[in-house]
Amino acid sequence: MPQPDDDRTAPEGALPGLCPPSDLNPRRETPLDFPDSEFGELSADDYRVLGFMSGLEVHQQLRTAGKLFCRCPAGRRTTKVDGEVLRHMRPTLSELGEYDGCALMEFKTRKEIVYQLERGSVCTYEMDDTPPFPVDPEAVRVALEVALLFNLKLVSELHVMRKQYLDGSIPTGFQRTAMVGLAGAIPFRVPELGVDRELRIRQLSLEEDSCREVSDIGHRIVFRTDRLGTPLTETVTEPDLFTPFEVQAAGRLIAATVASTGKIARGAGAARQDTNVSIAGSRRIELKGVPSHRLLPRLVHVEAFRQLNLLKIRAELEKRGVTKAQLQVADKVLPWQGSPLVLEASSQLRHCDYAPVRDAIDRKETIAAVRLPQFGGLLHRRTQPGITFAREFADRLRVIACLTGRPFMIHSDVKDYGLDRAEWRQLRAALRAEQWDAILVCWGPRDDVATAVREIFLRAQDALVGVPAETRQAYADGTNGFERILPGADRMYPDTDTPPVPIADAVVAELRAGLAERPWERSGRYMQAGLDERSARWLARAPWAGLFDALEPRSPAVARRVASALEKRLPFHARTSGRPLPPPHRVRPLVEALEAGTLRSEAFESALDALLEDPGLPPDVVLAELRPSASEDPAALDVAVRRTVEESSELAGRPLPTVLRWAMGRVMPDLLGHVDPRLVQARLEEALAAVHGPAGGAL
Ligand SMILES: [Zn+2]
């Protein structure tokens, strides 16, 4: 029976069993001379040279009344705690008689897992004390509808599977999931990116959501269970995205497509995506928990270059002749007792005045110094913006060895900070380090430091692979950090608790007949109505698309004016007033007035603003105030022009167009809706030219 630490003693190079070949980028030669580049510096061609490939996994909570496999309410968010359950994770043999690498990693962390329960949102099913109830039929219908929207081939029966979930966020250790459809495609058209092709959708699953994490400190992780079991769809694309902005556009397209069912949950955490990235010569790395589409391009760019930088480091190690055999440490004893590469350094550092080490000594903790042969100068190499290769080690120590209280590690590439020269010299001598060797020092409780030292060697061995198979967590600044080593390939197995659920042809036919309009169909319709492609696409995904439809603009000019005003004004008003969209019956009179010519086009936005600012204001009153009437007070324009020309003397010497812009800004607000702006401009231009001269009086 393998010991917990034997999980990654795979032969040199790949990690068989942990990563199927499809995880490798189809191009095997890395362009190692490609310079490290900031986000925003590269063209689509540059990404092609890099072999950049990316795909998405989009999770969307459904707005159903109940959870997927029990009758608890879905979508209930609470901070109340009625009780707590404590669990420990232990690895068990899989049905194939093997340990899963991911399970072993979680076991190594020796975590205490706490579930906070609230009576109204959780029952014994979520805590694995009762078998699942029949799958929620409403959720199945929505999932089928989404699958149809993506043109997927539907399954004839839902087969519930168990997907291993070992981070503790699901108490059973697995997630129940059922594939609903597979192998589809949707039109992917983004003219500003030069994209006009299909986006292949690999599959859509209906699954239960995991717990919300409350905190994860040291050896204790706390989860809240209200979200656990909420139905969600998981949409997986093929890696068909070849630039960072394509990833973003695809994310938006998928979200909009799922949303067109009108049956999805909104708000924090309701939609989450993972993205995978690889470059030539690398393997697919999954970035988990991307919070927003806005962040996607930077995240995937940064990950592409992390991979490139790791592959450059591998090339350098190869050049230096480093082998895996040089990076081994004894397994059965404390690492500093059985290896010339590791030293318990408390005595060398007993006079150290670097505060973190000093504190560790005072706390009687263990301080280990590790020699990495030929790694000198590499730990300081940049892998991500503001992040060096050393972070790859520090992340593993934090996550797997649970070292906390940063900093818990320092290395010899750092100069003039931390340990002084004499201390480094002593450590080098004690470890018999040569010129190009690097020294890593870490400190903490003894058992954690023992795990940490083993982890340092495992990560150093991974440096010879280049890009280790792991999942990584997306951060809000666009960088990412180690989350866990990749789960085993065989992490899905049938759920014996749930019988297959047949999908009736009649249900599919009914759903197909009433299928929601898809974003690309919607934007096609808006282009027919007179909008340009960008506005049409934007409107098709906007929350006010329904409002626009209800306003029924008839002429293309009115449609354009209304779409543009809604896009400009509604987000602003929603932000400042917090009020929902106005009901269509209030805005419709303005649109009708536009069509009839009784509201001037340029006055529409002001009219809309007036309605949005005061929900009680009758549209008639707004329209009366802005009614066009050239004859109402013919002198008003004359007066305004004369007064403005007089005031314009302060602008003497400025170019005429500048003065004219200023003058329009003075005159128009009072005349808006009443007088054609072209007439005002003509009158002002004539009068100003007489005073300021046609050349603008620049002389
Ligand atoms: Zn329940």
Side-chain angles (χ1 to χ4, degrees), residues 596-623:
T598 53
L599 176 65
R600 296 199 60 88
S601 174
E602 72 276 2
F604 182 74
E605 260 179 51
S606 305
L608 182 63
D609 273 339
L611 283 185
L612 292 169
E613 267 156 30
D614 181 357
L617 187 64
D620 289 355
V621 174
V622 177
L623 285 170

Side-chain angles (χ1 to χ4, degrees), residues 521-531 536 539-540 545-546 548-549:
E521 294 163 346
R522 223 169 228 269
S523 56
R525 178 161 61 79
Y526 293 146
M527 284 169 70
Q528 292 265 308
L531 268 56
L539 176 59
F548 178 87
D549 290 345

Side-chain angles (χ1 to χ4, degrees), residues 67 69-73 121-127 133 228-229:
K67 291 188 178 179
F69 289 107
C70 66
R71 299 294 91 99
C72 292
S121 61
V122 70
C123 68
T124 48
Y125 162 69
E126 289 97 321
M127 290 297 113
F133 295 71
L228 179 64

